[in-house]
Amino acid sequence: MKKFLALAAIALACSEKKVDKRDDCVPVEQVTVSQDCYEGSAGLLLTADTPSSISLDWVIAPLKDTSGAQTYVPYYASTTSNQLMVPDSIVRKYPKIGVMFVGAYGCPSDMYFSFVRRMDKDSCARWYLQERFLKGD
C-alpha cells in the first residue's frame, strides 16, 4: 500500500500543469533550416519566426526514415533566442528531423514541422522542409 501511495504521489507531482495562454502570445508559425551544405560537423541550425529576444522550448523528433511512421526518442532543448543548433550527434544518424513542439512559456505553437536530408546535384547534403501542418487536422 505504501508503494502505491508513493507512486501516486510521484505521478501527481510529475503530471502536466496547465499553463494559461498569455495575452501577448504570438505562436511560432514557421521554422526554417539553414540552406548551407550540411557537413556533419557543425550541427543543424533551426530558426523560428519569433523575435530573437524570446526564449523558446523545443522538442525535436529524430526519425529513422522519411515516412515519419515510427517511434522516436525526443530531444528536449531550451534556447535564449529563436534559434536552435541541433547537435550532429543527433542529426548525423537520422534522415528526418521533426519539430514536435516549439514555443515560449505560455505561448505554444500547434504547428508540426519536419525536415529531410537530401543530396543535391552538386554533391552537397542539404536539409529541406518536408511537412508543415497544424496538429490535430
Side-chain angles (χ1 to χ4, degrees):
M1 184 67 163
K2 287 182 183 179
K3 284 184 183 179
F4 176 73
L5 290 175
L7 289 174
I10 291 171
L12 184 60
C14 294
S15 66
E16 267 189 59
K17 294 180 176 131
K18 184 168 172 63
V19 175
D20 291 329
K21 193 172 182 179
R22 297 188 331 232
D23 291 335
D24 62 342
C25 179
V26 179
V28 172
E29 293 291 327
Q30 190 66 34
V31 172
T32 57
V33 66
S34 172
Q35 288 299 300
D36 294 337
C37 277
Y38 174 69
E39 301 293 336
S41 58
L44 179 65
L45 182 64
L46 301 175
T47 304
D49 66 345
T50 59
S52 60
S53 62
I54 294 179
S55 62
L56 296 174
D57 293 321
W58 301 73
V59 179
I60 305 298
L63 301 167
K64 293 180 184 176
D65 64 55
T66 57
S67 71
Q70 67 256 310
T71 59
Y72 61 92
V73 176
Y75 171 75
Y76 299 95
S78 293
T79 60
T80 57
S81 71
N82 65 330
Q83 293 187 319
L84 171 68
M85 182 66 74
V86 182
D88 282 316
S89 59
I90 293 172
V91 178
R92 190 175 331 132
K93 301 176 193 174
Y94 299 95
K96 182 174 180 176
I97 301 294
V99 179
M100 303 302 293
F101 176 87
V102 58
Y105 184 77
C107 189
S109 173
D110 292 327
M111 297 300 293
Y112 169 81
F113 308 92
S114 68
F115 300 91
V116 292
R117 185 177 52 222
R118 300 276 187 245
M119 191 61 72
D120 282 345
K121 291 180 265 182
D122 61 357
S123 298
C124 177
R126 288 190 175 85
W127 288 85
Y128 293 97
L129 179 68
Q130 182 186 39
E131 299 170 295
R132 177 186 177 269
F133 60 83
L134 190 61
K135 290 183 268 187
D137 281 354

